[in-house]
Amino acid sequence: MKRLEQARKVPAPQELPPEVRPGQSIELLKELHILTRDGKLNQDSRRKLKQVYHLYNFIEPLLRDVKSEKGSVSLVDHGAGKSYLGFILYDLFVKAEGEGSHIYGIETREELVSKSLELAARLGFSGMSFLPLSVAESTTSSKLPETIDIVTALHACNTATDDAIDFALKKKAKHMVLVPCCQAEVASVLRKNKGKDIKRSALTEIWRHPIHTREFGSQITNVLRCLQLEAHGYQVTVTELVGWEHSMKNELIVATYKNLPRRRPSERLHEVLHEVGLEEMKSRFYTQAETTE
């Protein structure tokens, strides 16, 4: 009887939600507030976990591609925030694939950088670094290597996405994964030049009304980004980031360097800048030829 009572007091192994992947660090998921302290998922955290895993499915093949080619991977996550993505990538891929790979989180808010450093140390994630820098500052920082294999930038606002592209181009990244956020710079130039451009072409009717200026500015910004990447020899895929239902910024740009012909996309990029009155932004959306002039 006593043995039966003692057996009943032995705690049963914690049953994890079926959404959690095998081998995933439970402590990490709790620290990221994806799992509650008793290992449960609520509706909000279930959606958050689904979002992170969904993005991981896009990035894992890129990690494996670089790993098979070089034996290790370097990845920079711009606008890392609390570094959900970086920690998940490290936990599910780097941790299992051995030493040598490194993930860098770039974030301007020093309090978030400090918390990420503490968490990485506590979990023993020695191949993670966090730097309190802007995207532009990181391009010239001596704390980062001269080349980076993969660059990610999720919901990097306004020109931060363009700075991440500039960073990736200068670091000769093989892969980029971008989820652009709000884009105001191009719209502001369209708005400024609207008066003179409206006499030049009927196409300006596309962005004559203020709400259309904002929407068209956002759309054309991503078109120009894709042309710029193609003008540097990248193969570009644009799709919806299905699973991020809570966000209207749902465009996913994946670029892989293939050394493709550059002339046609370079010409198209300049044509688009000219047609919509954005020639003054040529230095923002530069081509490879312009970097060597």
Side-chain angles (χ1 to χ4, degrees):
M1 187 67 177
K2 288 183 178 180
R3 288 182 181 177
L4 181 59
E5 290 176 356
Q6 289 174 349
R8 288 173 177 168
K9 293 179 182 179
V10 176
Q14 187 180 36
E15 291 187 9
L16 296 173
E19 293 91 343
V20 176
R21 295 194 176 195
Q24 181 81 76
S25 169
I26 304 308
E27 183 182 355
L28 171 63
L29 294 180
K30 288 181 179 180
E31 289 290 342
L32 295 178
H33 302 294
I34 291 176
L35 285 181
T36 61
R37 286 300 166 191
D38 57 355
K40 304 297 183 184
L41 281 171
N42 57 38
Q43 184 175 354
D44 182 61
S45 60
R46 180 174 283 105
R47 184 170 62 248
K48 189 182 298 181
L49 183 63
K50 179 183 176 184
Q51 293 161 7
V52 174
Y53 282 165
H54 187 75
L55 188 57
Y56 177 79
N57 290 337
F58 282 101
I59 300 175
E60 183 189 22
L62 311 182
L63 292 166
R64 295 204 177 280
D65 173 56
V66 175
K67 181 75 165 51
S68 64
E69 183 180 300
K70 299 177 60 177
S72 62
V73 186
S74 59
L75 180 146
V76 169
D77 183 27
H78 283 298
K82 296 179 181 179
S83 293
Y84 283 90
L85 178 63
F87 277 114
I88 294 294
L89 291 175
Y90 194 94
D91 191 38
L92 289 180
F93 186 85
V94 176
K95 189 177 70 175
E97 294 293 324
E99 300 294 325
S101 296
H102 205 98
I103 292 179
Y104 299 86
I106 308 299
E107 171 57 49
T108 56
R109 290 166 287 183
E110 293 193 15
E111 68 276 11
L112 295 182
V113 171
S114 296
K115 289 180 180 178
S116 294
L117 285 168
E118 291 171 6
L119 179 56
R122 191 159 64 250
L123 294 172
F125 289 4
S126 58
M128 295 193 79
S129 299
F130 303 91
L131 302 173
L133 301 169
S134 69
V135 183
E137 290 169 340
S138 69
T139 305
T140 57
S141 174
S142 61
K143 296 180 180 179
L144 289 161
E146 291 185 6
T147 59
I148 292 292
D149 298 314
I150 302 175
V151 173
T152 61
L154 311 182
H155 299 128
C157 286
N158 201 16
T159 59
T161 297
D162 301 301
D163 291 338
I165 291 173
D166 180 59
F167 173 93
L169 293 175
K170 289 175 178 173
K171 294 292 185 180
K172 297 179 171 55
K174 183 174 184 181
H175 300 288
M176 300 181 214
V177 180
L178 312 168
V179 180
C181 193
C182 51
Q183 297 120 345
E185 187 182 39
V186 167
S188 68
V189 176
L190 290 172
R191 193 176 299 111
K192 181 185 71 173
N193 296 333
K194 192 183 299 184
K196 62 180 182 181
D197 286 341
I198 205 163
K199 300 174 184 178
R200 180 175 59 85
S201 171
L203 285 177
T204 54
E205 292 296 330
I206 296 172
W207 65 91
R208 178 162 63 91
H209 296 286
I211 189 171
H212 295 157
T213 304
R214 186 184 69 218
E215 293 174 352
F216 180 71
S218 177
Q219 174 77 1
I220 198 68
T221 299
N222 287 339
V223 170
L224 292 169
R225 286 166 174 164
C226 292
L227 284 171
Q228 180 187 21
L229 290 169
E230 290 173 342
H232 283 264
Y234 284 80
Q235 181 182 74
V236 178
T237 301
V238 184
T239 186
E240 286 185 328
L241 185 58
V242 179
W244 293 61
E245 298 90 345
H246 73 297
S247 175
M248 294 184 68
K249 305 300 181 181
N250 198 35
E251 188 169 333
L252 173 68
I253 300 173
V254 179
T256 296
Y257 184 72
K258 297 280 190 177
N259 196 24
L260 296 176
R262 298 153 170 75
R263 181 176 175 180
R264 181 62 170 165
S266 296
E267 291 174 347
R268 280 296 172 117
L269 174 59
H270 292 144
E271 287 173 13
V272 172
L273 288 170
H274 174 71
E275 286 298 322
V276 299
L278 292 172
E279 288 176 301
E280 66 191 78
M281 300 199 69
K282 187 178 177 181
S283 61
R284 167 69 73 187
F285 302 103
Y286 61 87
T287 64
Q288 188 172 45
E290 290 161 344
T291 63
T292 57
E293 290 176 355

